[in-house]
Amino acid sequence: MSHVSEFLNGERDYSNIEGDTGPLVYPAGFLYVYTAIQYITGGLVHPAQILFGALYIINLAIVFFIYIKTDVLPWWALTLLCLSKRVHSIFVLRLFNDCIATTLLHAALATLLYQKWWLGLIIFSLAVSIKMNVLLFAPSLLLLMLKAMDISGTIVALGGAAFVQILLGFPFLVSYPVAYVSGAFNLGRVFIHFWSVNFKFVPEPVFVSKAFAVSLLILHLGLLAIFAHKKWCKHEGGLVNVMHSVYISTVSRFPLQGLYAYGTTSKTLNEEHIVTTMFVGNFIGIICARSLHYQFYSWYFFSVPYLLWKTPFPTPLRIALFVAVEYCWNVYPSNNYSSGILVCIHLMILWGLWIAPPEYPYMDDKSPAKRKKR
């Protein structure tokens, strides 16, 4: 609210907008949404908690829709999505912007299940305008777009997403562009070691070092490349073959003829393949994040049951891993043991996803019949 007050008082220099929680580090969509919240609630906490309670229900409904469309979980396992004490706190008590960004991300994903790539990118960009963590889904989303659409459709869809960012940031871009871009899209921030839930066991001098950050970045990119090549593009012959097909398509259409066909799809992707690629890509980003604060749990909690049921693990182990993840996120303050256990559980889930057979990516005559719920 203090950030909103300075914005409403006419401040457009991002470097001058500060509050009790520090300087403003989120894109402009954050300001607009919380300005609306201030208008609706009068800046009072209790009405805002009611509003975020409604947001939680809306988000949960969208997530249920995604799960039902993919049919990966048995019906009873959907109840796991309602049982997180920490997520309830993040939404209804803490009122974090992560909640709004997560809800918009899930809305974008639900849109993609209907092959509405252009609209999905618009909603995705709106989510990014609330908080940049949504960009963890971006590599997976780009790969899916290249598989589903021709190059012209992909370029126009990306252009639409970029236009949303320019439109929302326009008041700041025309006034203090450098301050806005460097403040709202700062990729080099170093978080406080005390609040880290995942790497608390790493000594603080190592935690804040550039070498540690670069190592995690290399690991992140490497895991994405390996999963893209061996899992997400396996049926096309690997990531290299997909990129080669994109190159051939681009050359054959140069200079970009057919831009009129933006948003259309050349292939229809399997719903399960879309969700799996998006959730796993984000999960890889979570594993490689230098610091996960408590509110960051909302970035991937709603995908945890899906990821567990995509592994070949027996159901009792899946449930045990879910409970263990929740336990680690409810240890406050985090310690060496809770953070070490959390990292080990993440790696175990990732291993299960690696050894699981990849689903056929396309909806065509070769697509296998929809499998029964496990």
Side-chain angles (χ1 to χ4, degrees):
M1 292 297 99
S2 54
H3 292 150
V4 166
S5 296
E6 293 195 27
F7 167 64
L8 293 178
N9 288 333
E11 183 61 68
R12 296 297 180 266
D13 186 345
Y14 246 58
S15 61
N16 291 334
I17 301 179
E18 295 191 6
D20 296 335
T21 57
L24 179 56
V25 293
Y26 307 120
F30 163 84
L31 279 177
Y32 302 141
V33 168
Y34 276 85
T35 297
I37 291 173
Q38 186 186 67
Y39 177 80
I40 295 170
T41 66
L44 301 176
V45 172
H46 184 63
Q49 289 178 318
I50 295 174
L51 187 64
F52 271 76
L55 178 69
Y56 173 79
I57 298 299
I58 292 170
N59 176 68
L60 199 59
I62 298 172
V63 172
F64 278 167
F65 172 80
I66 293 170
Y67 273 67
I68 292 170
K69 287 285 285 185
T70 55
D71 198 24
V72 168
L73 270 69
W75 67 268
W76 61 265
L78 295 176
T79 59
L80 297 175
L81 294 164
C82 309
L83 300 181
S84 174
K85 175 184 176 181
R86 176 60 67 188
V87 169
H88 291 163
S89 173
I90 292 170
F91 269 81
V92 184
L93 291 180
R94 310 302 177 185
L95 317 180
F96 283 114
N97 59 325
D98 305 72
C99 308
I100 302 167
T102 296
T103 302
L104 286 172
L105 181 278
H106 290 146
L109 181 54
T111 304
L112 298 182
L113 298 184
Y114 287 96
Q115 314 296 315
K116 304 297 183 181
W117 298 96
W118 188 81
L119 178 59
L121 258 290
I122 296 297
I123 302 174
F124 181 86
S125 187
L126 290 173
V128 173
S129 77
I130 305 298
K131 193 162 186 176
M132 275 203 310
N133 69 281
V134 178
L135 289 176
L136 291 178
F137 290 90
S140 298
L141 180 55
L142 178 60
L143 178 62
L144 290 171
M145 290 171 58
L146 291 173
K147 292 173 68 172
M149 295 195 293
D150 58 29
I151 189 65
S152 60
T154 301
I155 291 173
V156 173
L158 290 174
F163 178 75
V164 169
Q165 294 300 319
I166 295 171
L167 184 64
L168 293 175
F170 187 77
F172 308 97
L173 290 171
V174 297
S175 303
Y176 300 93
V178 175
Y180 176 70
V181 174
S182 61
F185 300 98
N186 184 0
L187 299 176
R189 281 195 299 150
V190 179
F191 292 102
I192 300 173
H193 181 256
F194 174 81
W195 293 109
S196 178
V197 179
N198 57 333
F199 283 127
K200 194 65 171 287
F201 61 89
V202 176
E204 187 169 1
V206 176
F207 177 86
V208 300
S209 68
K210 188 173 183 179
F212 186 56
V214 172
S215 299
L216 289 173
L217 177 60
I218 293 173
L219 178 62
H220 185 189
L221 296 176
L223 286 173
L224 285 175
I226 291 171
F227 267 79
H229 184 67
K230 292 291 188 178
K231 306 293 290 185
W232 305 332
C233 299
K234 181 176 181 179
H235 292 280
E236 295 90 349
L239 179 61
V240 176
N241 277 358
V242 171
M243 293 298 101
H244 179 71
S245 298
V246 171
Y247 171 76
I248 295 300
S249 174
T250 303
V251 172
S252 65
R253 297 177 68 90
F254 186 84
L256 297 181
Q257 301 171 5
L259 281 175
Y260 60 86
Y262 69 89
T264 60
T265 59
S266 55
K267 293 183 179 179
T268 302
L269 295 183
N270 185 299
E271 294 160 343
E272 185 178 336
H273 179 66
I274 294 173
V275 176
T276 300
T277 304
M278 292 286 281
F279 279 172
V280 175
N282 177 63
F283 186 61
I284 290 172
I286 293 293
I287 291 174
C288 299
R290 173 156 55 166
S291 183
L292 295 176
H293 292 185
Y294 284 97
Q295 65 268 32
F296 297 0
Y297 189 26
S298 62
W299 296 3
Y300 79 110
F301 164 76
F302 295 101
S303 68
V304 171
Y306 184 96
L307 296 174
L308 287 171
W309 259 261
K310 284 296 293 182
T311 70
F313 299 153
T315 296
L317 179 57
R318 292 167 175 162
I319 297 175
L321 290 173
F322 177 86
V323 172
V325 169
E326 179 68 16
Y327 166 77
C328 291
W329 280 98
N330 280 280
V331 173
Y332 179 83
S334 61
N335 54 55
N336 292 346
Y337 300 105
S338 65
S339 63
I341 292 171
L342 182 63
V343 170
C344 289
I345 294 171
H346 283 170
L347 293 176
M348 186 173 181
I349 296 173
L350 188 67
W351 170 249
L353 294 168
W354 175 255
I355 63 177
E359 65 284 330
Y360 187 75
Y362 301 106
M363 295 292 291
D364 55 27
D365 293 338
K366 296 181 181 180
S367 179
K370 204 174 187 79
R371 53 187 168 71
K372 296 180 180 179
K373 296 179 183 177
R374 294 183 185 147

